[in-house]
Amino acid sequence: MSAPTPETDETAGTGGTAEISDGARASLEALRTEIAKAVVGQDSAVTGLVVALLCRGHVLLEGVPGVAKTLLVRALAASLELDTKRIQFTPDLMPSDVTGSLVYDARTAEFSFQPGPVFTNLLLADEINRTPPKTQSSLLEAMEERQVTVDGTPRPLPDPFLVAATQNPVEYEGTYPLPEAQLDRFLLKLTVSLPSRDEEINVLTRHAEGFNPRDLQAAGLRPVATAAALEAARAAVAGTSVSGEIAGYVVDICRATRDSPSLTIGVSPRGASALLSTARAWAWLTGRDYVIPDDVKALALPTLRHRIQLRPEAEMEGVTADSVISAILAHVPVPR
């Protein structure tokens, strides 16, 4: 989105920028209402997806089968005026099935590039841990560099570009766990939990009334946010101020993970940068143009839980990544 036209009156210019920012925030907040037409509950997962869009990051959704992980991403895509594609990851999926390949055209006697499904705005990578590492790695360049290289030629991906990958945390037979290098490419790891009793009753009631999760248009989902609104929102997030005390707080949290006796791998500087980015996005979503410690705490678990590695003996004692991070948040001094 182009920058607003400069005003001769400084106050008028500031007001125009504020109006653009407020309009973009209202559009993204409307996503929650629209997605709720298809997905019951899961507010934290919806918020995480919006934060990832604002930060140009990618999301790993983890949950047992049947908790609407795929439906959640499809509902997000239906609520945005963005192109979306889906890949079902399987053991026989090849890298070219993701990135695309050169195809020989007999009419012209030349090879032409046939883009793969990664050339989209919102890519749903379903059950990403069911495909071999070679195919998983085909996403690394796309996620980090936002381009793919085929036959030595780099090809840029559309903007915005977000990978929303799902994986099952309990069924490991026939799966290929994501390596640390690829996990680190995900901005957030969101846990999609089982619904409460009332939420589950709501789900069944909707199905009894004829809701079809495969037909979101019939469910009434419509695009409520445009690419222009998203670009305006990103510009506003970039203007969210961060004090030196907040930056130091983020660093202290991440450094504490490196000294934790329960961990073999702590959070890297890239993880610290990611936490600061997500905290800024959350601060803007809640209506502030500055970050406070509560913003950092709110995004610490989803931003850091996949960037640390537990010691085997800690796992045997029932320690989890979330419990380690929560303990660190409880002990690191909070700036005043």
Side-chain angles (χ1 to χ4, degrees):
M1 185 175 180
S2 58
T5 305
E7 302 278 352
T8 52
D9 181 9
E10 185 177 344
T11 303
T14 304
T17 303
E19 285 182 12
I20 293 172
S21 177
D22 291 343
R25 185 184 294 111
S27 294
L28 293 181
E29 287 176 348
L31 284 175
R32 299 182 188 216
T33 303
E34 203 66 16
I35 292 173
K37 294 179 181 179
V39 180
V40 177
Q42 308 300 354
D43 289 341
S44 60
V46 173
T47 300
L49 286 167
V50 174
V51 167
L53 282 169
L54 290 173
C55 298
R56 302 178 187 270
H58 309 288
V59 174
L60 181 62
L61 294 165
E62 187 174 85
V64 298
V67 290
K69 299 186 297 295
T70 302
L71 178 61
L72 181 61
V73 179
R74 290 180 56 239
L76 174 67
S79 304
L80 292 165
E81 287 187 352
L82 299 176
D83 182 46
T84 181
K85 289 185 174 67
R86 176 180 180 273
I87 305 175
Q88 180 65 52
F89 280 80
T90 57
D92 60 349
L93 195 74
M94 300 296 292
S96 58
D97 296 327
V98 177
T99 62
S101 58
L102 295 176
V103 178
Y104 181 73
D105 189 340
R107 293 173 299 178
T108 62
E110 294 180 349
F111 285 93
S112 61
F113 178 67
Q114 184 67 36
V118 75
F119 285 85
T120 187
N121 297 122
L122 179 58
L123 178 67
L124 171 56
D126 222 351
E127 295 188 291
I128 190 173
N129 59 333
R130 291 206 169 275
T131 200
K134 183 177 181 179
T135 304
Q136 289 178 7
S137 66
S138 66
L139 275 178
L140 285 177
E141 182 186 14
M143 294 171 68
E144 185 67 19
E145 306 296 335
R146 299 182 185 274
Q147 66 176 26
V148 296
T149 302
V150 178
D151 196 35
T153 302
R155 304 175 191 275
L157 295 171
D159 184 44
F161 173 67
L162 180 144
V163 174
T166 70
Q167 71 174 8
N168 180 351
V170 295
E171 189 180 10
Y172 290 112
E173 186 176 350
T175 64
Y176 303 85
L178 299 180
E180 282 71 22
Q182 186 162 352
L183 281 172
D184 202 42
R185 296 307 196 276
F186 288 99
L187 179 71
L188 299 171
K189 180 182 178 181
L190 305 176
T191 301
V192 184
S193 58
L194 289 166
S196 66
R197 182 176 184 275
D198 289 342
E199 289 172 342
E200 196 163 357
I201 291 173
N202 192 350
V203 170
L204 296 185
T205 302
R206 290 187 180 194
H207 282 274
E209 293 172 350
F211 170 70
N212 182 1
R214 295 173 182 82
D215 189 357
L216 296 182
Q217 190 171 6
L221 268 74
R222 300 290 183 272
V224 294
T226 63
L230 180 58
E231 191 59 36
R234 287 173 169 176
V237 169
T240 303
S241 63
V242 178
S243 67
E245 290 80 6
I246 292 296
Y249 182 51
V250 170
V251 168
D252 290 342
I253 291 171
C254 295
R255 290 181 69 86
T257 65
R258 302 168 202 165
D259 298 329
S260 172
S262 298
L263 303 178
T264 57
I265 297 178
V267 178
S268 68
R270 175 165 33 193
S273 177
L275 179 55
L276 186 61
S277 296
T278 56
R280 292 176 81 187
W282 177 243
W284 179 81
L285 278 172
T286 54
R288 279 178 281 101
D289 61 356
Y290 57 92
V291 180
I292 62 175
D294 283 347
D295 300 325
V296 178
K297 290 182 178 180
L299 273 297
L301 286 178
T303 308
L304 303 181
R305 59 165 58 111
H306 56 297
R307 303 175 191 272
I308 61 178
Q309 189 173 88
L310 291 167
R311 293 185 182 278
E313 54 269 29
E315 284 190 275
M316 292 177 64
E317 294 172 0
V319 177
T320 65
D322 283 11
S323 66
V324 172
I325 296 170
S326 297
I328 288 172
L329 291 174
H331 287 90
V332 172
V334 179
R336 301 297 179 187

